[in-house]
Amino acid sequence: MGRILGTVDCVAQSADLVLAATSGDGYLRVWSKEEGALVLEMKTPNNMPANTVAVQDNLAAVGTLAGGLFLIDLGTSSVLHALVGHTDHVNSVILDGNQIISGSEDQTIRVWDRISGREILTIDAQVEVKALAAHKKLLVVASQDNIVRVFDRATRHRRPRRVLRQATGKVTAVAIDAQRMASGSYDRKVRVYAVPSFRLVRVLKADGIVTCVALEGDRIVSASFPTITVWDARNGDTLHVLQGHSSIVWTVSLLGPDVVSGSGNSAGSADISVRVWDAETGALTRVLNGTEAVRPIEEVLGAATGAAASAAAEKVLKAALANGDPAELGRCKLMIVGQCAAGKTSTVRSLLGMAPVEEHISTVGVELKRTDAESWEEIKDLDSGFERQVYRVAALRMAVQEQAASKTPQSTPMRICRKASNLVFGRRRSSAARPFVAEVQVELVPEAEVAQRFEYAEIEDMAGKTQSDQKIYFTIWDFAGQDVFYALHHIFLTREGGVFMVVFDMQELLSKQERAVEYLSFWLNSVKLRAPTAPIILVGTHYDEASVDLNEVEEILIGQLSVDENENIVPNSRASLNFFPIDNMSSEPDRASELRVAVEASASSLESGSRKISLRWLKVLDDLLMLDCDHVPFKAAQELATKYHVGEQTDELLSFFHELGMLVHLRATDVLYDNVVLNPQWLLNKLSRVIADDIHVDQIRYDHELQNAGLEKDFEWLRKCGIATLSLLRFLWNDEEVDFLVDFMRGAMLLSDWAFPEESLTSGRQSEPLYLVSSLLKNSTSAELDAEIADMDIGLTCVLDFSKFFLPDGVFARLLSLCVQYSGNFGAISRAPQLAGNQAIVHFNFSDFALKQTKNKIWIRIERKSRKPASTLKTLVGMFRGARNAIFRDLPWELLLQSPKDASALCAYDEVARARTSGADSVLSTSKRITSVADFDPFFHDGSLEEDEKGSETVEQATAADFDPFRQDDSLKEDETDTETVEQASVADFDPHFQDGLLQEDENDTGTVEQVSLQVLPAGLEYHVYLSHRQRNARETCNLIADKLESRGLKVWYDRESRGDLAKEVMRRGIRASKCYLLFLSKSVFMGAVLMELEIALQEKKPVLLVHENDPDRAGFVTFTSYIESAPKDAKHLLRESESIPFQRRLTEHFYEQLIARINAS
């Protein structure tokens, strides 16, 4: 091998290797540090002069002239990736874990994924990058304009975070670590800055132009002509001046006790060499020039890695990947809610150890941050956790194998996971079960990438540790406190996997008690509604104010809100309080230490935090995040899941990650279900441009771009009337994904089509699509609308009553959205609704009605002249139920009916229904007055549902198509667990509410009964099917199934009224007389009478058919894996081996065809 020609432009080193990149001959050379043998000499892959090199283990990254950048496997001398993107000389490259960072004269910094070679970030430095340094999220750039620029790679902002202008000559070099940043320049000075403040703390005078700097620990090394200086970073003292080079020293590297330098300026120079020095003594230990003895690099790498290349570690790693071993993710969603200006964002800053800020702009919508319970520092990069969990499960396998080999009992590594073998794809197994072995082995990581992506030594290291538990990672959702955002928040408050932090201003609680208690009550009720068992941490802010009396705050919380009786409130045991006071203005970085402990303990108590999931689930998430898309179709996620043999679990895995706040997958409508949002912050930011508070509205209103686009009038119309033009939405969303965002808002009932002309708009936009954003009307008023409602001749009236709990923000607005959407479907006879604040007049064809919210009630008043008022009421109540089931699933409510002859008489709908069935003449009203049934005959003589379905031109004709996606139930009849009725009223008064089949009809069925081919029942059998179900959760659905099967000619044995109290012998006779046994799965189904029925069916050896709710998020139902987990031992095989039929409300014919085919085949 030959002597180095030209200049040594860059050197790098590892514990065992020395590398040099040369521009004169375009070679990469590698030496063994221990003996100085030349172990590798190779031309750059593009034959261009090499400018820069970096090394990490057995990998090297090399940058060349003309934009060349390559990742090289030193062990095989092969190019793993040619990284294409730079268009000019690459002057600096860094290997940083699984990322490669490069800087070029094309004025860009690029970040690449080391495994795939994909570019993941580009920063426009707006200056030629001469040198580059990196530490965590910080990127430091040296440039020839005498400036050092500091970028934050996590924020992706183009503008630098810091601009340092102290140098008076070209800046040639930079280096950075956790404490310091050093720069070198043509002005012959090394400048030292403190990190992260970047305050200049020291200036060191060099012997000449500074060409390169390096730092580590308490040492700084600088290169110049012709010397190298080692400085004490603490005080600036010169430790050593390294002399020996006779040419310009262009490059230095510092690692532990070793300094490596490179020199030369042209071919034939007297000194073109690489030298190794002892940083502690200043002694020269080796001179390298390319003429050394040669040794195979495999020997050096093999000796260096030794145990790291352990065959055992490699084996367990590959086995864990192929098997999709279960892993405990350790994730939690921390949701911060509370009144505006209560100090939520300041509390987040305290949690993250950030410096306090006296004043800051209020949060817009929701702001997301990530951290972990160990460092409590903000984590910028999105991380699926896949690699971390692969290490853990592989280490667990190794620890178990080592334990078995030694036959010595020892504790399972707590750092790895708890009882990892007890779960398969989210299902727990008994502790005595054998470790799970997948039926199909899957390649989660290509064979060629395994060694690159994972360090075998790390697996061995983790397997040897038995005491360290894994830390919890948090996604913090900081919800804005302004009222206008409340309608938005309910979509993103999740049910499981989260801890809630309710923040309040203690000073306001003491000085404005009624208002503060009202807000606290609102948020405590909201949390109870969305997540009835989630831990709640109360945080009192403004503790820095001297007038705050903690005992008085505690008394108010107990006296007004009964927090001492709320078992979900996390106590502050150390202070003997039910809340955590905090001084967010304190300069102490650990000012939130007690709060951190409470958050971590609460997260640790959640079942979702310790639930184990397959590595295959994590790989699906990892691949999705690698797509670098803000959202993808559900189909894309399902294809990835299918690739890793978990396609049938796509719903469950997306729901799991949604609950943890890692992505957004809503299920209320088909549009929401068909899209998976991978970047929740992107979605939240877009929505908050439309649903914005006053502060941020002003920022948009005075935006010159809004004026230049001629959209000032459109924006004012949106803020005044809640009506948006498509042009305005395109502007607010920067013309990005407009169709998707419109569909998303429509699906979440935040937006509806406005199909009515608006003459006040600019003429050019009167013909384009318009949309109503109903939540923006919340605080608007209209004297004209008040007068019109007062002048209406009111006929039938009902009330949606929420007094037993509370009426959340957003319910009325969503009902209004659905009404507006529907009212625009009547063509030429459509009339524009009149809307303002909490009331409206809406027109459905020839039906007019008023809506009004008063405290915890929504009044629906039909004008007397309207056609088929009972049908209109049915439509409206159906719309409300759709909104409730989609967004406010467990919200208790009661339907009240107003007597047409006595406006003061309100009666509970359920009570009226029961009284009519029993033939009673009267019932008690809510005010305990006896009311006559006969007064209400008009409710029962107004047409029928069957007539509407056959094509009559009434309001019901359009209902199924227009709000079917929002309708989840088959009648107005509430599930028996939803609400309790306490009063009775006269039955006959409420006949109008029943005229159109208000309760009994299946709204989603076509009403057509198709002829089916049924097999003749065998001798001795009386029924085709025995239908078994848990009354509490599935009574209404199974009533419907039984009716539909019987209407198709099947004989069904069905316990319709006894509520599960049949004698065992009666059950046995029914099962014996049935051809098969059908079990409808629901929550807690395997208990009581149902369990007895199942045992009898198994004893009688009856074929068992299974049906499950298609949407496990519906009240009373859970995921299919939960059914398997809770099934009795002798029935588990049925759920694992039998294909259960999903019950679908919108594809009824397909469901019944499939079910009847199964019954025939049984």
Side-chain angles (χ1 to χ4, degrees):
M1 297 188 178
R3 180 182 294 273
I4 300 173
L5 300 176
T7 300
V8 179
D9 283 88
C10 188
V11 294
Q13 59 175 314
S14 66
D16 304 284
L17 301 175
V18 174
L19 290 79
T22 58
S23 59
D25 54 13
Y27 270 92
L28 170 66
R29 290 177 175 85
V30 184
W31 294 267
S32 165
K33 185 183 285 187
E34 180 181 4
E35 59 187 8
L38 184 63
V39 296
L40 177 65
E41 184 179 75
M42 64 178 289
K43 287 284 285 186
T44 58
N46 60 352
N47 292 315
M48 297 297 291
N51 283 346
T52 179
V53 65
V55 64
Q56 180 176 291
D57 301 322
N58 65 327
L59 299 177
V62 179
T64 75
L65 298 185
L69 183 60
F70 306 93
L71 181 65
I72 297 171
D73 185 334
L74 297 175
T76 62
S77 304
S78 59
V79 176
L80 299 176
H81 297 298
L83 307 172
V84 179
H86 285 299
T87 58
D88 207 337
H89 308 330
V90 177
N91 290 327
S92 190
V93 65
I94 300 166
L95 279 168
D96 183 24
N98 280 334
Q99 293 184 347
I100 303 168
I101 309 168
S102 57
S104 167
E105 292 188 14
D106 65 7
Q107 300 192 356
T108 66
I109 304 166
R110 299 176 190 262
V111 182
W112 317 76
D113 178 69
R114 179 172 64 83
I115 306 303
S116 65
R118 184 175 60 89
E119 183 180 337
I120 57 179
L121 174 64
T122 300
I123 296 176
D124 183 0
Q126 298 185 336
V127 67
E128 292 183 359
V129 180
K130 290 300 182 182
L132 179 67
H135 177 72
K136 292 188 176 179
K137 61 184 179 181
L138 300 176
L139 297 175
V140 184
V141 173
S143 59
Q144 292 189 353
D145 60 359
N146 306 353
I147 295 174
V148 175
R149 293 169 174 83
V150 183
F151 293 88
D152 186 336
R153 61 171 146 164
T155 63
R156 299 172 180 257
H157 289 170
R158 295 177 62 184
R159 300 179 64 180
R161 174 175 168 178
R162 294 280 191 280
V163 177
L164 309 177
R165 303 178 183 274
Q166 290 83 2
T168 57
K170 297 177 182 179
V171 182
T172 57
V174 285
I176 186 173
D177 64 12
Q179 295 180 291
R180 304 175 182 89
M181 190 276 285
S183 68
S185 74
Y186 271 34
D187 62 9
R188 302 188 173 200
K189 291 182 176 64
V190 175
R191 290 175 173 82
V192 184
Y193 300 81
V195 172
S197 66
F198 290 95
R199 177 176 57 87
L200 180 64
V201 295
R202 190 162 288 108
V203 179
L204 310 176
K205 295 182 179 180
D207 292 336
I209 292 173
V210 180
T211 56
C212 189
V213 294
L215 65 84
E216 183 182 74
D218 294 330
R219 293 192 186 102
I220 297 174
V221 178
S222 65
S224 57
F225 176 75
T227 60
I228 302 161
T229 305
V230 181
W231 312 83
D232 188 326
R234 296 167 294 185
N235 52 32
D237 290 348
T238 300
L239 298 177
H240 305 289
V241 177
L242 310 181
Q243 295 179 329
H245 285 291
S246 58
S247 297
I248 296 177
V249 181
W250 293 104
T251 173
V252 289
S253 170
L254 173 63
L255 181 64
D258 296 321
V259 175
V260 177
S261 59
S263 66
N265 50 18
S266 64
S269 173
D271 177 32
I272 303 175
S273 64
V274 174
R275 298 177 184 244
V276 184
W277 315 76
D278 187 327
E280 295 179 355
T281 66
L284 176 64
T285 60
R286 199 172 302 283
V287 179
L288 308 170
N289 58 22
T291 62
E292 296 76 20
V294 176
R295 182 184 177 192
I297 194 170
E298 294 85 353
E299 295 180 8
V300 178
L301 292 176
T305 55
S310 163
E314 181 180 5
K315 183 177 180 180
V316 296
L317 173 64
K318 291 181 178 179
L321 289 168
N323 194 54
D325 278 4
E328 184 178 305
L329 189 54
R331 292 268 188 177
C332 178
K333 182 177 181 180
L334 177 59
M335 289 162 277
I336 317 288
V337 299
Q339 184 182 350
C340 179
K344 297 182 296 298
T345 301
S346 293
T347 301
V348 172
R349 293 183 65 86
S350 294
L351 281 172
L352 299 179
M354 302 169 70
V357 177
E358 287 287 345
E359 295 183 7
H360 55 79
I361 299 175
S362 299
T363 301
V364 182
V366 187
E367 183 176 357
L368 272 62
K369 294 185 182 298
R370 299 171 184 82
T371 188
D372 64 75
E374 185 173 276
S375 71
W376 285 102
E377 294 180 355
E378 185 176 2
I379 300 171
K380 292 291 187 178
D381 295 331
L382 269 151
D383 173 26
S384 69
F386 172 69
E387 289 189 9
R388 185 168 58 252
Q389 296 306 325
V390 169
Y391 276 118
R392 291 172 61 81
V393 297
L396 177 66
R397 274 181 172 260
M398 177 168 279
V400 171
Q401 289 180 8
E402 290 173 351
Q403 180 179 347
S406 64
K407 298 184 180 179
T408 302
Q410 65 181 42
S411 59
T412 300
M414 290 294 289
R415 176 177 173 184
I416 312 308
C417 56
R418 305 181 187 90
K419 301 180 183 177
S421 62
N422 294 341
L423 183 134
V424 181
F425 301 153
R427 304 197 297 265
R428 292 193 178 279
R429 297 153 49 118
S430 72
S431 58
R434 297 173 58 189
F436 170 70
V437 178
E439 294 180 5
V440 180
Q441 303 290 290
V442 177
E443 185 180 66
L444 296 185
V445 179
E447 180 81 17
E449 291 185 10
V450 172
Q452 295 181 50
R453 192 161 187 172
F454 301 99
E455 299 291 336
Y456 298 141
E458 177 69 10
I459 296 171
E460 286 201 338
D461 178 61
M462 293 177 69
K465 296 180 180 180
T466 60
Q467 300 303 318
S468 55
D469 203 354
Q470 80 160 327
K471 58 188 174 184
I472 298 174
Y473 287 79
F474 293 98
T475 303
I476 301 175
W477 288 57
D478 179 8
F479 289 84
Q482 300 92 313
D483 291 1
V484 71
F485 294 119
Y486 287 0
L488 180 65
H489 290 351
H490 285 284
I491 304 173
F492 301 105
L493 296 176
T494 46
R495 190 177 188 83
E496 299 175 357
V499 173
F500 286 84
M501 187 178 289
V502 180
V503 179
F504 65 97
D505 180 345
M506 292 189 290
Q507 185 63 43
E508 179 154 320
L509 183 67
L510 295 174
S511 61
K512 301 176 182 178
Q513 181 176 324
E514 183 177 353
R515 181 171 181 266
V517 167
E518 182 181 350
Y519 272 105
L520 271 173
S521 178
F522 168 82
W523 280 112
L524 289 173
N525 284 335
S526 295
V527 174
K528 183 178 180 181
L529 172 64
R530 301 301 301 179
T533 62
I536 302 172
I537 301 174
L538 289 174
V539 178
T541 60
H542 296 270
Y543 193 28
D544 52 307
E545 299 183 18
S547 58
V548 172
D549 183 335
L550 298 184
N551 291 326
E552 187 179 353
V553 171
E554 177 79 354
E555 289 175 4
I556 295 173
L557 294 177
I558 292 175
Q560 298 294 321
L561 297 166
S562 303
V563 296
D564 56 330
E565 299 175 9
N566 188 335
E567 60 184 14
N568 294 330
I569 298 291
V570 177
N572 183 351
S573 301
R574 185 170 181 179
S576 299
L577 298 169
N578 283 290
F579 68 99
F580 291 79
I582 189 170
D583 176 7
N584 287 321
M585 292 298 104
S586 169
S587 59
E588 293 295 325
D590 292 330
R591 59 189 178 275
S593 56
E594 293 294 322
L595 194 55
R596 290 172 178 172
V597 172
V599 170
E600 184 175 4
S602 301
S604 299
S605 70
L606 297 174
E607 182 179 349
S608 58
S610 59
R611 178 182 175 184
K612 297 180 180 69
I613 61 172
S614 169
L615 287 178
R616 298 178 184 181
W617 283 24
L618 280 174
K619 190 58 169 67
V620 173
L621 178 63
D622 194 59
D623 284 6
L624 286 172
L625 296 181
M626 290 290 285
L627 294 175
D628 199 24
C629 298
D630 294 314
H631 67 94
V632 297
F634 174 86
K635 184 179 179 181
Q638 191 169 42
E639 288 174 352
L640 280 174
T642 302
K643 174 182 176 182
Y644 300 125
H645 287 262
V646 287
E648 74 282 1
Q649 298 161 26
T650 309
D651 269 349
E652 191 176 353
L653 71 87
L654 289 176
S655 175
F656 179 73
F657 293 132
H658 169 83
E659 291 293 324
L660 295 179
M662 301 175 74
L663 50 75
V664 173
H665 184 229
L666 303 174
R667 311 158 67 88
T669 69
D670 289 341
V671 170
L672 299 181
Y673 181 85
D674 288 341
N675 287 277
V676 182
V677 179
L678 304 177
N679 183 0
Q681 188 67 74
W682 168 83
L683 174 63
L684 294 163
N685 290 345
K686 294 296 186 184
L687 298 182
S688 299
R689 291 276 289 173
V690 177
I691 303 175
D693 67 323
D694 291 340
I695 296 175
H696 299 92
V697 162
D698 286 342
Q699 294 177 357
I700 299 172
R701 178 179 286 125
Y702 300 112
D703 186 341
H704 290 300
E705 293 185 13
L706 179 75
Q707 299 168 20
N708 293 339
L711 292 169
E712 304 102 314
K713 191 172 184 178
D714 297 56
F715 186 71
E716 293 305 323
W717 199 246
L718 171 66
R719 300 307 304 177
K720 178 182 178 181
C721 302
I723 297 172
T725 63
L726 180 60
S727 294
L728 179 62
L729 293 181
R730 289 188 181 279
F731 170 82
L732 294 175
W733 292 333
N734 296 321
D735 212 14
E736 296 174 0
E737 303 287 357
V738 175
D739 291 341
F740 166 77
L741 291 166
V742 167
D743 284 343
F744 184 93
M745 290 190 71
R746 188 190 289 116
M749 289 164 276
L750 296 169
L751 168 150
S752 57
D753 296 332
W754 183 262
F756 312 98
E758 289 295 331
E759 297 179 358
S760 299
L761 291 173
T762 305
S763 58
R765 282 189 287 281
Q766 289 179 356
S767 60
E768 72 179 44
L770 304 176
Y771 305 96
L772 173 70
V773 185
S774 55
S775 61
L776 297 181
L777 300 172
K778 181 178 179 180
N779 297 316
S780 63
T781 58
S782 170
E784 182 181 352
L785 179 58
D786 292 341
E788 288 206 31
I789 291 177
D791 289 343
M792 289 180 70
D793 182 13
I794 301 300
L796 297 187
T797 299
C798 70
V799 179
L800 310 178
D801 184 18
F802 306 88
S803 302
K804 292 182 180 179
F805 190 27
F806 83 121
L807 177 56
D809 259 285
V811 173
F812 183 81
R814 284 179 167 85
L815 179 58
L816 203 57
S817 286
L818 296 178
C819 289
V820 169
Q821 181 80 30
Y822 183 63
S823 68
N825 292 330
F826 297 99
I829 62 172
S830 295
R831 291 169 289 163
Q834 297 154 270
L835 316 171
N838 60 354
Q839 59 186 359
I841 295 178
V842 187
H843 316 281
F844 284 2
N845 201 346
F846 296 110
S847 293
D848 301 333
F849 59 90
L851 295 174
K852 186 168 185 177
Q853 176 183 336
T854 58
K855 292 187 177 179
N856 288 323
K857 291 183 173 66
I858 295 177
W859 292 77
I860 305 175
R861 297 181 171 100
I862 311 295
E863 192 164 40
R864 194 177 305 278
K865 66 180 181 180
S866 295
R867 179 184 296 180
K868 290 201 171 185
S871 294
T872 302
L873 285 178
K874 174 187 174 179
T875 298
L876 290 167
V877 174
M879 286 179 173
F880 159 71
R881 294 201 59 178
R884 170 190 176 269
N885 291 335
I887 309 296
F888 308 94
R889 187 176 63 195
D890 295 324
L891 177 63
W893 69 291
E894 191 171 30
L895 178 61
L896 305 179
L897 309 179
Q898 185 184 74
S899 168
K901 294 190 177 181
D902 182 359
S904 65
L906 290 174
C907 296
Y909 173 87
D910 285 345
E911 294 297 326
V912 175
R914 282 194 286 269
R916 281 180 50 78
T917 301
S918 65
D921 293 328
S922 62
V923 290
L924 289 177
S925 70
T926 55
S927 59
K928 305 299 183 182
R929 295 173 55 191
I930 297 175
T931 307
S932 171
V933 173
D935 293 347
F936 298 87
D937 286 348
F939 284 92
F940 296 86
H941 299 88
D942 196 23
S944 67
L945 180 63
E946 289 79 6
E947 175 184 334
D948 298 331
E949 289 179 336
K950 292 175 183 176
S952 64
E953 294 179 1
T954 61
V955 65
E956 297 75 42
Q957 180 63 28
T959 14
D962 290 303
F963 64 91
D964 182 69
F966 304 105
R967 186 181 302 160
Q968 301 294 324
D969 292 280
D970 303 298
S971 68
L972 297 184
K973 181 63 178 172
E974 202 47 90
D975 186 286
E976 60 185 343
T977 62
D978 274 355
T979 183
E980 297 178 6
T981 49
V982 293
E983 301 176 0
Q984 296 196 357
S986 175
V987 176
D989 294 353
F990 300 90
D991 284 353
H993 289 276
F994 295 84
Q995 177 55 39
D996 296 312
L998 209 55
L999 297 182
Q1000 287 75 22
E1001 295 296 333
D1002 173 16
E1003 297 170 0
N1004 296 299
D1005 204 309
T1006 62
T1008 304
V1009 179
E1010 297 185 3
Q1011 296 299 315
V1012 295
S1013 176
L1014 294 176
Q1015 294 181 356
V1016 177
L1017 284 170
L1021 297 181
E1022 302 176 36
Y1023 304 99
H1024 289 92
V1025 62
Y1026 183 105
L1027 179 53
S1028 177
H1029 70 292
R1030 182 163 168 75
Q1031 288 273 356
R1032 180 176 180 179
N1033 298 326
R1035 176 170 55 87
E1036 294 298 333
T1037 301
C1038 288
N1039 281 344
L1040 177 65
I1041 291 175
D1043 288 343
K1044 296 304 179 184
L1045 290 178
E1046 289 173 348
S1047 71
R1048 287 159 170 81
L1050 279 77
K1051 296 181 178 180
V1052 182
W1053 199 104
Y1054 177 52
D1055 169 19
R1056 195 182 292 268
E1057 299 294 342
S1058 65
R1059 299 183 181 273
D1061 57 0
L1062 291 176
K1064 184 173 183 179
E1065 192 52 40
V1066 175
M1067 296 179 188
R1068 186 179 298 276
R1069 286 198 300 269
I1071 293 172
R1072 282 178 176 172
S1074 300
K1075 184 181 180 186
C1076 63
Y1077 172 85
L1078 173 61
L1079 175 61
F1080 193 98
L1081 299 170
S1082 63
K1083 190 174 183 179
S1084 305
V1085 70
F1086 296 109
M1087 59 189 302
V1090 177
L1091 182 59
M1092 190 182 304
E1093 290 173 338
L1094 178 59
E1095 291 173 348
I1096 293 172
L1098 293 174
Q1099 292 169 6
E1100 297 292 332
K1101 298 183 178 180
K1102 292 291 182 179
V1104 177
L1105 307 182
L1106 302 174
V1107 173
H1108 66 278
E1109 169 60 52
N1110 190 46
D1111 180 6
D1113 284 341
R1114 289 177 61 82
F1117 300 93
V1118 292
T1119 61
F1120 197 82
T1121 53
S1122 298
Y1123 297 136
I1124 298 176
E1125 179 182 335
S1126 61
K1129 183 177 179 180
D1130 57 354
K1132 285 185 184 291
H1133 69 283
L1134 293 172
L1135 281 78
R1136 290 195 179 113
E1137 299 169 4
S1138 304
E1139 183 182 356
S1140 178
I1141 306 174
F1143 177 70
Q1144 301 183 45
R1145 287 172 169 74
R1146 294 196 288 274
L1147 300 174
T1148 52
E1149 288 304 325
H1150 175 72
F1151 167 75
Y1152 290 112
E1153 288 173 4
Q1154 191 177 12
L1155 179 57
I1156 293 172
R1158 296 276 183 92
I1159 294 172
N1160 280 338
S1162 63

